[in-house]
Amino acid sequence: MSERALRGTRLGATSYETDRGIDLAPRQTVEYACQNGHRFEVPFSVEAEIPAAWECRFCGQEAALLDGDEPEEKKVKPTRTHWDMLMERRTREELEEVLAERLAVLRSGGMNLAVHPRDTRKSA
């Protein structure tokens, strides 16, 4: 008989537990608004840190916290290029000296290009 009682009840898809007799954690409701004019509320725990931005439920844009402080702009480091990193290790005079040495080797024919794997030319 118990087999027939569970037939057709979508066992596992629906919870049969109720909230009766359970004390829920204290909550607070926070209101957000997006640029498209949508306003919505999100429940948070009283202990939770409230984010300054939340994804809008209606359009997916970023919504700002109403009656909240504006989020601080994070300091952005300037992008370090290869040249910047090279200049941290060597002076311009040292680079001129290395360049002159390498050009002298190339001009004298002292570098065998067939031996170097960086050569992308096909030998005929």
Side-chain angles (χ1 to χ4, degrees):
M1 183 166 176
S2 64
E3 291 176 5
R4 281 192 251 152
L6 294 176
R7 185 177 299 163
T9 61
R10 297 178 299 170
L11 187 62
T14 306
S15 174
Y16 293 106
E17 293 184 14
T18 63
D19 291 340
R20 277 184 277 169
I22 297 174
D23 292 329
L24 297 175
R27 298 178 186 200
Q28 61 181 329
T29 304
V30 180
E31 191 173 11
Y32 289 91
C34 75
Q35 293 177 351
N36 294 336
H38 301 127
R39 294 178 87 132
F40 57 95
E41 294 180 341
V42 180
F44 286 99
S45 169
V46 173
E47 301 168 354
E49 184 177 322
I50 307 300
W54 196 265
E55 184 178 321
C56 179
R57 292 182 178 173
F58 305 104
C59 63
Q61 299 232 350
E62 188 172 287
L65 176 65
L66 288 180
D67 302 327
D69 298 331
E70 290 293 320
E72 292 181 14
E73 291 284 330
K74 292 184 178 179
K75 293 182 181 178
V76 179
K77 290 183 182 178
T79 306
R80 286 177 55 199
T81 63
H82 293 291
W83 179 254
D84 295 332
M85 291 184 267
L86 182 64
M87 293 307 290
E88 289 174 5
R89 295 189 311 267
R90 302 210 178 192
T91 64
R92 202 168 220 351
E93 291 79 24
E94 290 173 332
L95 291 173
E96 292 286 342
E97 186 178 321
V98 170
L99 177 63
E101 289 173 9
R102 300 312 299 163
L103 285 174
V105 169
L106 283 173
R107 288 181 181 137
S108 69
M111 183 188 269
N112 186 356
L113 293 177
V115 174
H116 293 284
R118 293 175 114 179
D119 186 22
T120 57
R121 293 179 289 172
K122 301 223 179 206
S123 55

